[in-house]
Amino acid sequence: MMMTRGTSRVARLTTADRLFSAVKGAAAESEKFPVMGVRWRSSLTLGEKEQVNGSSAAAAGGGDNKREDGGNKEVVASYWGIKGEEVKKEDGTPWKWNCFRPWETYQADLTIDLKKHHVPTTFLDKLAYWTVKSLRFPTDVFFQRRYGCRAMMLETVAAVPGMVGGMLLHCKSLRRFEHSGGWIKTLLDEAENERMHLMTFMEVSQPRWYERALVFTVQGVFFNAYFLAYLASPKLAHRVVGYLEEEAIHSYTEFLKELDKGTIENVPAPAIAIDYWRLPADSTLRDVVMVVRADEAHHRDVNHFASDIHYQGHELKDSPAPLGYH
C-alpha cells in the first residue's frame, strides 16, 4: 500500500514537471515565433519596445500632432482604427490645441448690456439673491484685490452649474423619452466656456497650494448643493446662477479698473485666449478680461431666462434654447 501511494505521488510529480516543461517550452517558442502574429508586449525587451514604438508611430502618420503647449507629440497608434486628425487654421498653419478646435472658436459680443439686473420679487428670487450676496463677503476677504487669482478660483466653481444642469436634463430626457429643446447642449456649452476661462487664467496666475486645497472643498460642497437645489427647484437653481454671473461681471469690471490704474500689469494675452476668442495677435490681458466679462453677461441672460421659463409654468423644453448665444 505504501509502495502504491509513493509510486502514484511520483507519477503525479513527473506529470506536473512534464506539463511545466511543455508550457515553458511553448512560451520560449512564442518568443521566437509569435503565434498568429501576436506577442505579449510585457515579454519584449527594452530595445524591442522602442523599435515597436517607432514602427507604430511611423505607421500612424509620423507623429506630427501637436500638444496644447505647441510641442510635437507622437501619434498614438490605435488598434481600433482611431487616428488623430491633423487640424489646421484658416491660413494653413497647424492648429496646436487639443482642448478645442477652430470651429469652436468665436468672437465675443462686447456690445451686450452689462448693467442688466433681475430685481428679486418672489421669495425664491430673494433667497437666491441673498445667498449669492452672502457668498461674496468671504470671497472679498480671502482674495481682496488679487483679481487674477480670484478669477481663476471662481471659474472652478462657475463651470459646475452648467454641467450639473445639463446632466440632470440629460437624465430627465432619457427617463421621459423626450427632447430637451436644446437645453442640454446649451448648459454643457456654458460649462465648457467657463472651463476655458479657467484654462486662460491658468496662463496668467498659478494657484498656491492652499488655494488648490480650497478648490477641492468648495467644488465638492457647491456641486452637491447645486445638484440638490436643481432637483428641488430648477427655477431657484438658475436664478442663483443668474445672480452669480451678475457678481462675476462686477468682479471683472473691478479687474479692469485695476488694470487701467496700473496696479496689475497688462501683460500680453495668452496664446490660448487669442485663438479661442479670435483676438488680434497683439492683444493684452485687458482684452481677455473684456471678452470673459461679455461671456459672463451672456450666461447671466441665459440663466435668468431659464428661471423665467419655470416661473411662467413651463419646462425648458417648451422654449427653444439659445444655442450659440455667445
Side-chain angles (χ1 to χ4, degrees), residues 15-311:
T15 302
D17 290 340
R18 288 176 179 174
L19 180 60
F20 176 75
S21 298
V23 173
K24 185 176 180 180
E29 288 298 319
S30 68
E31 291 290 324
K32 298 177 181 178
F33 308 101
V35 180
M36 299 293 289
V38 177
R39 179 176 172 187
W40 293 113
R41 187 175 180 83
S42 59
S43 68
L44 298 178
T45 63
L46 179 60
E48 290 173 324
K49 288 180 180 179
E50 292 176 350
Q51 184 178 1
V52 170
N53 288 338
S55 300
S56 300
D64 292 336
N65 278 15
K66 301 288 185 178
R67 292 198 309 261
E68 290 189 8
D69 58 4
N72 291 326
K73 174 185 176 183
E74 287 187 350
V75 176
V76 179
S78 172
Y79 169 78
W80 311 106
I82 300 175
K83 297 181 180 179
E85 181 184 1
E86 184 178 358
V87 181
K88 294 184 178 181
K89 296 181 180 180
E90 295 178 355
D91 58 4
T93 57
W95 182 259
K96 60 182 179 180
W97 310 106
N98 289 333
C99 56
F100 65 100
R101 298 303 193 189
W103 50 86
E104 297 173 323
T105 64
Y106 63 96
Q107 289 180 316
D109 178 16
L110 300 179
T111 64
I112 189 169
D113 187 354
L114 300 172
K115 297 181 179 180
K116 280 185 179 179
H117 168 65
H118 177 82
V119 179
T121 53
T122 66
F123 170 76
L124 288 181
D125 280 358
K126 293 177 180 179
L127 176 62
Y129 179 79
W130 289 111
T131 298
V132 173
K133 284 296 184 182
S134 65
L135 294 175
R136 180 178 170 180
F137 175 74
T139 304
D140 289 342
V141 172
F142 185 82
F143 293 106
Q144 297 182 4
R145 294 193 174 276
R146 294 185 297 120
Y147 287 103
C149 291
R150 181 188 186 117
M152 178 184 58
M153 297 296 291
L154 292 182
E155 294 296 351
T156 64
V157 175
V160 170
M163 182 60 65
V164 172
M167 175 186 67
L168 290 175
L169 286 180
H170 175 75
C171 293
K172 182 179 180 180
S173 175
L174 298 177
R175 289 194 309 271
R176 295 190 176 184
F177 304 94
E178 63 185 18
H179 293 285
S180 69
W183 281 95
I184 295 174
K185 179 173 176 54
T186 292
L187 295 179
L188 294 182
D189 284 348
E190 175 187 312
E192 173 64 10
N193 181 247
E194 297 284 12
R195 191 186 70 85
M196 287 304 299
H197 294 174
L198 174 63
M199 296 299 103
T200 298
F201 286 114
M202 281 289 293
E203 300 294 324
V204 178
S205 177
Q206 291 295 320
R208 301 184 175 99
W209 67 267
Y210 58 85
E211 291 174 333
R212 290 180 179 270
L214 181 64
V215 169
F216 276 90
T217 304
V218 174
Q219 191 181 78
V221 172
F222 184 73
F223 179 94
N224 289 284
Y226 191 79
F227 180 88
L228 295 175
Y230 204 98
L231 286 176
S233 176
K235 59 185 174 184
L236 171 64
H238 282 293
R239 192 68 81 199
V240 167
V241 179
Y243 286 130
L244 281 173
E245 300 295 359
E246 289 184 17
E247 291 298 326
I249 294 171
H250 172 76
S251 295
Y252 284 117
T253 300
E254 294 298 314
F255 196 167
L256 288 171
K257 291 179 180 178
E258 296 299 317
L259 285 168
D260 292 339
K261 290 191 297 184
T263 306
I264 300 175
E265 184 181 0
N266 191 23
V267 298
I272 190 172
I274 291 176
D275 284 341
Y276 184 66
W277 283 285
R278 302 178 187 175
L279 296 173
D282 59 349
S283 296
T284 63
L285 178 58
R286 191 182 193 282
D287 299 315
V288 174
V289 176
M290 290 281 289
V291 294
V292 170
R293 184 177 64 171
D295 284 349
E296 305 296 5
H298 285 88
H299 300 327
R300 171 204 63 194
D301 294 350
V302 170
N303 281 277
H304 279 315
F305 174 57
S307 184
D308 289 345
I309 293 174
H310 285 289
Y311 266 107

